[in-house]
Amino acid sequence: MARFTIPRDLYYGKGSLETLKTLQGERAIVVVGGGSMKRFGFLDQAVGYLKEAGMEVRLFENVEPDPSVETVMRGAQAMREFEPDWIVSMGGGSPIDAAKAMWAFYEYPETTFEQLITPFNFPTLRQKAKFVAIPSTSGTATEVTAFSVITDYQKGIKYPLADFNITPDIAIVDPALAETMPPKLTAHTGMDALTHAIEAYVSTMHSPFTDPLALRAIQMVFEYLPASFAGDMSAREPMHYAQCLAGMAFSNALLGIVHSMAHKTGAAFSTGHIPHGCANAIYLPYVIRYNAKDDAARARYAEIARFLGMQGASDEELTEALCKQIEAYDAKLDIPATLKAFGVEEKEFEEKVDAIAALAVGDACTGSNPRAITPAEMARLLRCTYYGTKVDF
C-alpha cells in the first residue's frame, strides 16, 4: 500500500494571503526570516488579517538561512510560552522548515532532535496547533511537503526531517510574494524546483499520482525560469506554481542523491555555505549521467526529454540532451559548473570528500535513488562535480 499526501487546502493566486482572515482560533504565532517579508509589507498584511480573524498574534523573527537546531529550540520554547493554536510561517524555505520542526518540539517537549532524524518517526501532531505555510520563494515547496531541512552547525551537517505529520494543513501560494526575489535567489530556487521534479520522476517511489505533477513542473520550469530570472514578473506566477507542483510530486515520490550530496556539502566547507539550489544545479547533470547507467533510470530520463520535445535516436542521446539543457540553464543563470568554480578549495575538498561521501550515502534521500551507490562511488562522483570530469562508472 502506498500513500499520497498534500495539504488539506491550497489557496493560490494574487491576493490569496487574505485567506488568513478566515482562520478560526485564539492565538497565532508567525514565524519569519530575516526581514524581507517585513520590508515589503507582507508581514504587516498577514498580522492584520490574523487580527481581523480575532486572534492574538505573536512574532518569531530572524530565522536564519539554513536554520539551526538552536533556532528551532528557541522557537519551540516561544511557542510553549505563547500556546498558539495556529502556527503561520511565511518567507523562504528556511522559516517554514524551522517552524515545522518547532511545531514538533512545541507539542512534544521531551522529544529529542536525534529522534526526529529517523525518517517518518514524528509523534502525532495537531494536538495543540495547526500549520499554515506561505512561501515567498519559488523552489523549496516546503508549503506542500512532508519535509524540513535543519542544520547542525556543530557537526556541519544538514538533516532532512521527513514525516507526513509535518505536511502543512493550509498552503497559501500567493505569487505576489515571489515578485520580491532577487535574480540569484530566483535562479537557485528555480533549479531547486527542477531538481525536485526530475528526482521525483525517476525515484524508486514514483507513482501514477506523482508522475504528471513532476512532468508538468519540469516543463514549466524550463519554460518560465529564464524570464523569471531576467525580472519578468509575468513569469514569476507560473514559476511559483511550478515549484509547488514539484513539491507535491517529491513529497510523495521522495528524492535522490542530488539532494543527498547537497545536504551533506552545503555547510561542509570553510570557504562558505553552498546555497541549496545552487548545489543541486551543480550536481544534477552529473547525477543524471551516473544514474543513467541503469537501464530503467535512463528510460525515465529519456521520457522527460521526449516530453520536453528534445531530439535523440536513443535513450542515451535523449538523456544526454537533457543534461546539456540543464548545463545550458546553469550557465544562463550564472551558476558555476563545478564545486571548484564555486570556490571550494581543493585541499579542503580532498581532505573531506571521503567523510562527506559516507554521510551522503547515509542521507535519507539516498534510499529512493534509482541506482545504488557506495561510499567509494559517491566520493568518485563528488570528485567529478569538483573537477568537471566525465562520469564513466
Side-chain angles (χ1 to χ4, degrees):
M1 181 177 71
R3 178 174 176 174
F4 183 87
T5 301
I6 55 176
R8 168 68 177 78
D9 290 298
L10 189 152
Y11 298 91
Y12 63 95
K14 288 191 176 182
S16 54
L17 186 62
E18 193 172 349
T19 302
L20 291 173
K21 68 169 67 172
T22 67
L23 301 185
Q24 295 183 350
E26 295 181 3
R27 287 177 298 279
I29 189 166
V30 182
V31 181
V32 292
S36 64
M37 291 297 92
K38 181 180 285 187
R39 281 198 311 278
F40 293 106
F42 294 114
L43 180 56
D44 285 345
Q45 285 184 42
V47 170
Y49 291 142
L50 290 167
K51 288 182 176 178
E52 197 172 332
M55 282 193 261
E56 182 184 352
V57 182
R58 182 169 295 182
L59 302 181
F60 185 89
E61 301 181 79
N62 300 312
V63 173
E64 73 273 39
D66 300 293
S68 65
V69 176
E70 291 77 14
T71 295
V72 167
M73 296 306 181
R74 285 193 299 107
Q77 180 60 34
M79 290 178 186
R80 287 193 291 270
E81 292 170 1
F82 183 56
E83 298 186 336
D85 40 22
W86 282 100
I87 299 168
V88 178
S89 188
M90 63 189 305
S94 295
I96 299 174
D97 278 6
K100 286 179 174 180
M102 292 171 191
W103 189 13
F105 292 112
Y106 164 45
E107 298 205 353
Y108 294 91
E110 304 307 315
T111 298
T112 66
F113 187 69
E114 287 68 29
Q115 287 173 304
L116 298 189
I117 290 170
T118 304
F120 301 96
N121 192 47
F122 272 63
T124 301
L125 298 179
R126 295 168 181 81
Q127 307 304 301
K128 297 179 180 178
K130 292 184 179 180
F131 195 100
V132 182
I134 310 165
S136 65
T137 60
S138 301
T140 70
T142 188
E143 74 276 6
V144 293
T145 75
F147 299 99
S148 164
V149 180
I150 305 299
T151 302
D152 185 333
Y153 286 95
Q154 303 286 326
K155 298 178 181 178
I157 299 173
K158 287 186 175 183
Y159 289 102
L161 310 181
D163 198 285
F164 288 116
N165 265 285
I166 57 172
T167 304
D169 297 280
I170 296 174
I172 299 175
V173 186
D174 190 331
L177 279 67
E179 292 180 0
T180 65
M181 289 191 299
K184 181 176 283 191
L185 184 60
T186 302
H188 291 172
T189 54
M191 292 305 289
D192 190 23
L194 181 65
T195 305
H196 289 156
I198 291 176
E199 289 211 293
Y201 194 74
V202 302
S203 161
T204 58
M205 299 292 289
H206 77 86
S207 75
F209 297 93
T210 60
D211 284 352
L213 295 166
L215 282 176
R216 181 60 175 144
I218 293 165
Q219 183 185 54
M220 291 174 73
V221 171
F222 274 121
E223 182 174 354
Y224 294 107
L225 181 54
S228 181
F229 173 70
D232 181 351
M233 293 304 156
S234 67
R236 292 285 170 96
E237 183 167 359
M239 268 303 303
H240 211 41
Y241 301 155
Q243 64 88 31
C244 188
L245 294 174
M248 294 180 190
F250 90 77
S251 185
N252 291 279
L254 308 183
L255 293 164
I257 60 172
V258 177
H259 274 76
S260 303
M261 294 159 72
H263 290 152
K264 298 309 185 265
T265 54
F269 300 110
S270 62
T271 44
H273 173 72
I274 307 171
H276 178 69
C278 179
N280 281 339
I282 293 171
Y283 300 146
L284 182 57
Y286 295 95
V287 168
I288 290 175
R289 291 182 176 111
Y290 172 82
N291 285 341
K293 304 296 183 185
D294 175 86
D295 292 345
R298 184 171 62 252
R300 298 287 290 177
Y301 290 124
E303 286 176 10
I304 294 171
R306 288 191 193 94
F307 186 77
L308 296 171
M310 295 177 181
Q311 301 299 310
S314 64
D315 285 355
E316 289 85 351
E317 288 185 10
L318 285 162
T319 299
E320 186 58 25
L322 178 62
C323 290
K324 294 289 188 187
Q325 186 67 29
I326 293 165
E327 289 168 340
Y329 269 56
D330 283 349
K332 188 180 296 185
L333 300 171
D334 296 329
I335 293 172
T338 64
L339 286 179
K340 188 173 186 178
F342 180 83
V344 175
E345 292 178 356
E346 184 173 7
K347 183 174 184 294
E348 184 182 14
F349 173 81
E350 289 294 347
E351 286 173 350
K352 293 182 174 179
V353 65
D354 289 335
I356 291 170
L359 290 169
V361 170
D363 187 89
C365 294
T366 300
S368 47
N369 193 68
R371 183 186 173 195
I373 191 165
T374 66
E377 288 168 333
M378 179 64 80
R380 193 173 172 186
L381 183 58
L382 283 163
R383 285 190 172 92
C384 290
T385 72
Y386 185 86
Y387 296 104
T389 50
K390 185 178 179 182
V391 180
D392 58 1
F393 60 97

